[in-house]
């Protein structure tokens, strides 16, 4: 099982360039998430999607857009990259048991540097 | 303002001894708590969780304790092994909500 797959693994951008980070899961999960990890800050939620066709803002949505293309795929777009968006980006997915969220499954991350 | 705090950025423990990682939260609405483990260049993986109706949950060498009145939880690893060296994230959520709030993490080093 692949679980959660993120592409690319590494990317270097110049300020002002645009980029889409891809994420796909094969676990038939309804919920998908995008996080960024910065030193001393833990994982901060950028956007999430509770089901196909819905998206909601997390803690740090500014400068990002997302698309829930179908149940499997959830992409994150930087329209005009800024150095402050240099980070490691993680995609995650989770299912539900009734009203309870199951623990999230994470991809291995995309390391993004913006010069 | 961080809703989930892990005040120790790092911890060093001798192999075979107990590792205790601490976590505090501020939002009394949280009712489900999780610990994730992360190795370098990999994504976090789920380790153990606890519901607010319990005060202890055990899974092999890992035990999580919850003190609701103090808004404090801890992860005990006994005995600690070198393979436990990783960053541990505490996380909290309110059941039926989709957001999970993560702490900043504690880097555990288990010395052989």
């Amino acid at each position: 099982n692949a679980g959660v797959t993120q592409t690319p693994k590494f990317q270097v951008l110049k300020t002002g360039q645009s980029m889409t980070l891809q994420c796909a899961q094969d676990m038939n999960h309804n919920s998908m998430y995008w996080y960024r990890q910065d030193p001393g800050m833990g994982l901060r939620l950028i956007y999430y999607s509770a089901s196909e066709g819905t998206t909601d803002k997390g803690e740090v949505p500014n400068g990002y857009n997302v698309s829930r293309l179908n149940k499997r795929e959830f992409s994150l777009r930087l329209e005009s990259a800024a150095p402050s968006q240099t980070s490691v980006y993680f995609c995650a997915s989770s299912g539900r048991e009734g009203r309870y969220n199951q623990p999230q499954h994470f991809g291995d991350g995309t390391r993004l540097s913006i010069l | 303002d961080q809703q989930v705090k892990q005040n120790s950025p790092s911890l060093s423990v001798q192999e075979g001894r107990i590792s205790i990682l601490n976590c505090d939260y501020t939002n009394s609405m949280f009712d489900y708590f999780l610990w994730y483990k992360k190795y370098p260049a990999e994504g976090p993986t789920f380790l153990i969780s606890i519901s607010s109706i319990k005060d202890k949950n055990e899974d092999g060498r890992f035990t999580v304790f919850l003190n609701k009145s103090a808004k404090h939880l801890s992860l005990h690893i006994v005995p600690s092994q070198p393979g436990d060296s990783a960053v541990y994230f505490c996380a909290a959520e309110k059941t039926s909500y989709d957001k999970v709030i993560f702490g900043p993490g504690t880097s555990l080093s288990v010395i052989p």
Side-chain angles (χ1 to χ4, degrees):
Chain A
N1 279 341
V4 178
T5 303
Q6 292 183 234
T7 55
K9 293 192 184 305
F10 303 93
Q11 186 69 49
V12 179
L13 293 178
K14 294 181 180 177
T15 298
Q17 286 186 314
S18 61
M19 165 110 199
T20 299
L21 308 186
Q22 307 286 355
C23 175
Q25 52 94 7
D26 62 3
M27 294 170 283
N28 201 36
H29 286 162
N30 284 320
S31 299
M32 295 186 74
Y33 310 83
W34 276 105
Y35 294 91
R36 58 179 289 174
Q37 184 193 5
D38 302 292
M41 303 292 288
L43 293 159
R44 291 184 294 170
L45 183 65
I46 304 171
Y47 271 94
Y48 67 102
S49 170
S51 62
E52 187 179 350
T54 68
T55 61
D56 284 287
K57 294 179 180 179
E59 298 173 69
V60 289
N62 291 345
Y64 305 96
N65 285 302
V66 289
S67 295
R68 184 73 183 267
L69 306 170
N70 47 56
K71 193 170 186 179
R72 289 188 65 246
E73 298 172 291
F74 189 38
S75 63
L76 178 72
R77 183 161 178 84
L78 287 71
E79 289 291 352
S80 179
S84 61
Q85 294 177 305
T86 293
S87 189
V88 181
Y89 291 85
F90 288 100
C91 177
S93 70
S94 68
R96 290 185 83 94
E97 282 185 42
R99 59 191 285 259
Y100 297 100
N101 291 316
Q102 294 177 332
Q104 295 178 20
H105 293 253
F106 285 82
D108 283 338
T110 295
R111 282 145 189 84
L112 185 61
S113 292
I114 298 158
L115 307 176
Chain B
D1 186 32
Q2 282 188 337
Q3 297 187 65
V4 177
K5 303 176 185 182
Q6 294 177 258
N7 291 325
S8 297
S10 62
L11 177 67
S12 225
V13 171
Q14 208 72 28
E15 180 179 5
R17 305 292 291 268
I18 184 171
S19 294
I20 300 175
L21 292 87
N22 293 305
C23 176
D24 297 289
Y25 61 96
T26 58
N27 190 338
S28 57
M29 300 294 284
F30 290 143
D31 58 4
Y32 193 65
F33 305 90
L34 310 95
W35 286 93
Y36 286 81
K37 177 179 179 178
K38 183 185 179 306
Y39 292 119
E42 294 183 9
T45 55
F46 169 70
L47 187 58
I48 192 169
S49 62
I50 188 166
S51 164
S52 61
I53 62 173
K54 295 184 175 182
D55 55 19
K56 177 182 173 181
N57 189 27
E58 194 170 352
D59 183 1
R61 295 186 298 113
F62 303 91
T63 303
V64 57
F65 295 92
L66 175 62
N67 182 336
K68 280 176 54 182
S69 60
K71 296 193 182 69
H72 177 82
L73 61 155
S74 61
L75 174 68
H76 291 211
I77 306 172
V78 184
S80 301
Q81 299 174 353
D84 296 329
S85 297
V87 176
Y88 289 79
F89 291 103
C90 174
E93 64 178 273
K94 183 180 184 314
T95 306
S96 80
Y97 278 19
D98 290 295
K99 294 182 192 180
V100 175
I101 307 298
F102 285 83
T106 295
S107 179
L108 173 66
S109 295
V110 179
I111 303 161

